[in-house]
Every structure is written in structure tokens, then in C-alpha cells.
Amino acid sequence: MNGNSTNGAVPITVARGDGIGPEIMEATLAVLEAAKARLDITEIEIGEAMFHKGYSAGIAPESWDILRKNKVFLKAPITTPQGGGFKSLNVTVRKGLGLYSNVRPCVSYDPFVTTRHSDMDVVIIRENEEDLYAGIEYRQTDDVYQCLKLISRPGCERICRYAFEYARTNHRKKVTAFVKDNIMKITDGIFHQVFDEVAADYPEIEADHLIVDIGAARIADTPEIFDVIVTLNLYGDIISDIAAQITGSVGLAGSANIGDQSAMFEAIHGSAPPIAGKGIANPSGLLLASVMMLTHIGQPDVAEAIHNGWLTAIERGSHTGDIFDRKYSKQRCTTKEFTAALIDCLGEKPETLTPVSYSAKSADRNQTGIRVTVPAPAQKDLVGVDVFIDNRELTTDELAKQLVSTGGDLMNLQVISNRGTKVWPDGLPETFCSDHWRCRFLAKGDAPLATADLIGLYSRIDGTGLDVIKTENLYNFDGRPGFSAAQGS
Ligand code: NAD
């Protein structure tokens, strides 16, 4: 398997990772070798050891060159050390390589793997680069901490289009968007709006949406109603773990991270420290990720042989501890025993479970043709500013009294809110107030404001001695507010 790329071997990068990573990667590489995958492997070291060598992202700079050159990365899970200063390597690699789409098939293998959901076959397509995973966080006052949720229109369009393209290529019938736009009307709202626009280009595929909380509940209860789900980064992270777990074990699911240039394949679970080194981990998640990799690099024959061999081994009752059940399991396998059983089954097809069939056009190939529309720029008018103030001493009314006159001739103090809830004017006395106050100033007339007007405002507020911790400009886009109202406004 190792060697040069003269025999049609495809260059890939491999990292053995942390915790159970080395054990499940050894198993996966053994199966790939036995199945005669045509791979030219370069290994890199990432994870805990690199964090401790002082690389804050857990990866050495020269490894990026290898990843970029090979374009295909088979990665075992890694441990992100707790504590400040360490960045999640997974997030860094996904974002660094522009791997915007995370594809996570979750399938039940009833009756061989115990599950309450015998008919589950759902693919979760998770946006991989944006949302709260931008990792932009601040402590702003004694009481209040902030994490920015960033959602872009092109980011929404790319992932929604990817989901519909995936559905079309894989003969899936329905795509469901999970959002929370009843609360986050602007950020989740744009995702929902773009989803509807994209869906119109795929009339043969049913499109619907659910609020993420009831969507998660339905996944746990009736997962068979779903086909393809597309969602934002954090929701996708959570629901795909739920979906994988209810198939029987989180150790069963693999995932593909796809970008325009590169792709990364990994198990959806982590490094599972409690079972690391015991030789009992289920290698199936990483192995099925490697199957996705093989279809991606154009080796559907090998992918099919491994996947069908794996289904056969599962059907014959070779089960690691996480899926062991007296009724259908014949052997409680160590990682190595399961690997050997699977290698014995290569070339065979399952009898009860449905065999897979991959062609050159199968699933997880780069959707490099995906283009995003660039709408004409909107007319953007500065109409006000939210000034955030750190205050413990003054009551709400005292704070408002100090601020009212600072608006000057051009701006009015319109509302003060605390943690998003209106507290002035006419707030409710029960509302708990932290030390973090949002004071909204809006232009008095229709004429847009200029930056100099805001600087004048800040300087007047500064003159009162109040502690301004941040500001957020308020814009109208084509006459429509680009900002949310306070709760209770
Ligand atoms: P985890 O997925 O590593 O493990 C949770 C539990 O699930 C384990 O204790 C184990 O009981 C079970 N489990 C997971 N994989 C299994 C397998 N293959 N076979 C059998 N049982 C398995 O989640 P965690 O404990 O929250 O995270 C541990 C570490 O992994 C953390 O440092 C986290 O940051 C990291 N992590 C890495 C990745 C990644 O590299 N892609 C993903 C998630 C978590």
C-alpha cells in the first residue's frame, strides 16, 4: 500500500491521533491493505504530543504542506487538551482546508446491532466552518461572557446546495433543514431563507424544515422519518452524535469533511480516553470513514468490498464490546479480533442486511461545481448604535437618566436591555439585571448617520464617566433593519 503513486496509488495523509486513535487506525490500515486499496500514504503527527511540543493548534507548520499536497486526509480522533491556549485541531483543520461540508451517515443494522430504531438511514450534513465554532469569545464584564455566532449567506448557500446535490447523486428523496429561526431570526433566518431558495432548484426532492429542538426529539424518537438533514455547525454536531448513538453505538459512524480543494475522513466519535490502550475500541467509525474516502478518490470497487465485508462481519456476530448483545453477538471481539473477522469477510456480501453498491459516481466526491450566487450589494444606511455599558452602581432609571441627553440633536436613546430583555422604558421589575447593559441609540430623522456622529456620542457618554465596553453599529439594508429588537420591545 505504501510506495509511490506509479500504480495508480492515490496520495493520502494519515494521522494516528490520540487515545484509541492509534488502535483504530492500525485496524483500518490493516483492512485497507488486505482489500488492496491503492494508496500512497504519508503519515503526520498531530494532537496531544504536538500540543505539548508547543504547537498551539496541535500540528506542525510543515504538516500543512503535506495535507495541502495530498488533498486527502484520513484522521484518527485526537484529544484537545483542556484549558486555555489550546485550539481545537479538528476545527483548525476543517477551517484551514476549507472543508465546509461535514457528511455523517447514521444507519441502523437491525437486528444485528441492538437499536430501538430498526429502519434508520439518515445522512446529516453539517455546516463545518461557521456558527459559534468561529471561536470568537470574550469576557466583557464581571458577570458576562460572549461567543459570537457568525453566519454568512454564501456559507448557507454552499452547504444547502451541497445537501441537495448529495441527495440528487445518492437518490435520496427528502432534505430537511434544522434551524432555530423562531429565536435567531437573523442568523438562523438567513439559513432558512437560503435553504428555501436553493430547494426551489431541486423540485424533484422534497424539502421541509423543523425547529432544531423538536427535530432532535424526533431523531431520538422516529429517525426513520428523516432522509437527509442539513443544518448549522453546532446543531449538526449535537444531532449527529445523537443519531449515531441511537443506531447502537457512537463507535459505528464515519464522516467526510468535504471542501473544494481537500477532504478529510474521520470517525465521528472522539479519542475515548477511558478505553484507550485496552484494545477494545470499535474501529468501525474510522473504517466506514475510509470507505467514504475510497469512493471519494475513485476506488468504488475497494469501498464496496470493504463495506460489504464489514456488513457481513456484523451480521455474523463479530462484535466489539460497545455493540455486544447476547442475542445476536457470537463473539465479543477485541479491536484486533474484529479486524481479523472483517478481513476474513472481504469479498463476501451480507445475506440479511442490504449490500452496498458503489459506482464511480458514488456519494462523497467533491462537489467542486458548487457555485454561490452573489446578490447585488444592498443599500446600507447607518441608523444607530448599540452601546454596551458595564455598570453595577446605577439603577436602570439612573442609567437611562445619565444617557438620555448624550444622544444630542441626532440620536434618541430608544431602549435599554439587559441580557437581551428590555428593562427601560417600562421594563418589568422581575427581570434580573446583570452588569451588562445594551443601550440603543437610533437616529432621530430619516437621514443616515455618519461615523463622526457616533464618535460624538461616545465622547459625550465618556464624559458621564460610564464604562463603555463595546459598541455595535446598527444598519438598515435596503430600508430593512439589520438588527434584532430587544425582547419585550
Ligand atoms: P468520545 O467520543 O471520545 O467518547 C465518548 C464515549 O463513547 C467513550 O468514553 C466510549 O465509552 C464511547 N466510544 C467512543 N468511541 C468509541 C469506539 N470507537 N468504540 C467503543 N466505544 C467508543 O467523546 P468525549 O469523551 O467527549 O471526548 C474525548 C476526547 O475526544 C476529547 O478530548 C475531545 O475533544 C476529543 N474529540 C475528538 C474528536 C475528533 O478528533 N474528531 C471528536 C470528538 C471529540
Side-chain angles (χ1 to χ4, degrees), residues 239-251:
I239 63 166
S240 56
D241 268 29
I242 298 173
Q245 182 69 43
I246 64 172
T247 64
S249 167
V250 74

Side-chain angles (χ1 to χ4, degrees), residues 20 24 75-80 90 94 249-251 266-275 280-283 322:
I20 59 170
I24 61 173
K75 184 183 97 28
I78 59 118
T79 302
T80 306
N90 297 311
R94 288 172 193 156
S249 167
V250 74
E266 58 183 344
I268 82 154
H269 59 77
S271 56
I275 58 167
I280 56 169
N282 188 345
D322 56 319

Side-chain angles (χ1 to χ4, degrees), residues 84-118:
F86 299 114
K87 282 276 179 195
S88 161
L89 173 59
N90 297 311
V91 176
T92 305
V93 171
R94 288 172 193 156
K95 292 172 73 162
L97 296 178
L99 309 178
Y100 64 89
S101 180
N102 190 329
V103 183
R104 297 181 161 193
C106 297
V107 182
S108 58
Y109 305 98
D110 187 64
F112 305 102
V113 177
T114 307
T115 169
R116 285 191 205 96
H117 307 289
S118 55

Side-chain angles (χ1 to χ4, degrees), residues 399-408 411-413 424 441 444:
L399 178 65
K401 203 166 163 200
Q402 287 230 12
L403 287 171
V404 159
S405 61
T406 59
M411 282 169 265
N412 275 328
L413 176 67
W424 181 94
F441 290 85
K444 281 182 177 167

Side-chain angles (χ1 to χ4, degrees), residues 157-345:
E157 184 174 349
R158 229 164 28 153
I159 196 67
C160 289
R161 255 184 216 292
Y162 185 93
F164 279 95
E165 285 294 325
Y166 181 96
R168 186 176 267 175
T169 313
N170 291 281
H171 313 293
R172 298 265 176 172
K173 299 198 164 37
K174 184 167 79 169
V175 180
T176 306
F178 278 16
V179 286
K180 187 81 185 171
D181 60 342
N182 54 334
I183 304 293
M184 284 158 281
K185 296 185 165 70
I186 295 183
T187 46
D188 285 33
I190 188 65
F191 188 92
H192 190 172
Q193 180 191 322
V194 170
F195 174 81
D196 286 345
E197 288 168 15
V198 170
D201 293 339
Y202 299 82
E204 78 281 17
I205 297 167
E206 187 188 337
D208 66 358
H209 81 278
L210 280 176
I211 298 297
V212 62
D213 34 11
I214 188 63
R218 296 237 170 102
I219 286 186
D221 186 48
T222 44
E224 62 278 4
I225 64 173
F226 296 110
D227 194 349
V228 174
I229 294 171
V230 62
T231 190
L232 296 161
N233 204 343
L234 177 63
Y235 310 147
D237 198 359
I238 296 167
I239 63 166
S240 56
D241 268 29
I242 298 173
Q245 182 69 43
I246 64 172
T247 64
S249 167
V250 74
L252 287 171
S255 84
N257 299 268
I258 306 285
D260 283 337
Q261 310 295 328
S262 302
M264 174 171 80
F265 301 86
E266 58 183 344
I268 82 154
H269 59 77
S271 56
I275 58 167
K278 296 186 174 163
I280 56 169
N282 188 345
S284 301
L286 187 61
L287 190 89
L288 292 177
S290 80
V291 167
M292 295 167 90
M293 176 188 80
L294 290 166
T295 65
H296 175 82
I297 61 176
Q299 297 185 20
D301 50 336
V302 190
E304 196 173 303
I306 293 177
H307 203 158
N308 282 331
W310 181 83
L311 289 166
T312 307
I314 292 292
E315 208 175 75
R316 291 185 183 166
S318 301
H319 293 167
T320 43
D322 56 319
I323 55 169
F324 188 85
D325 174 290
R326 288 221 181 91
K327 199 161 169 208
Y328 287 99
S329 304
K330 300 265 175 348
Q331 186 193 4
R332 183 189 283 271
C333 296
T334 62
T335 312
K336 283 203 163 95
E337 287 164 347
F338 177 73
T339 309
L342 163 48
I343 289 172
D344 278 349
C345 294

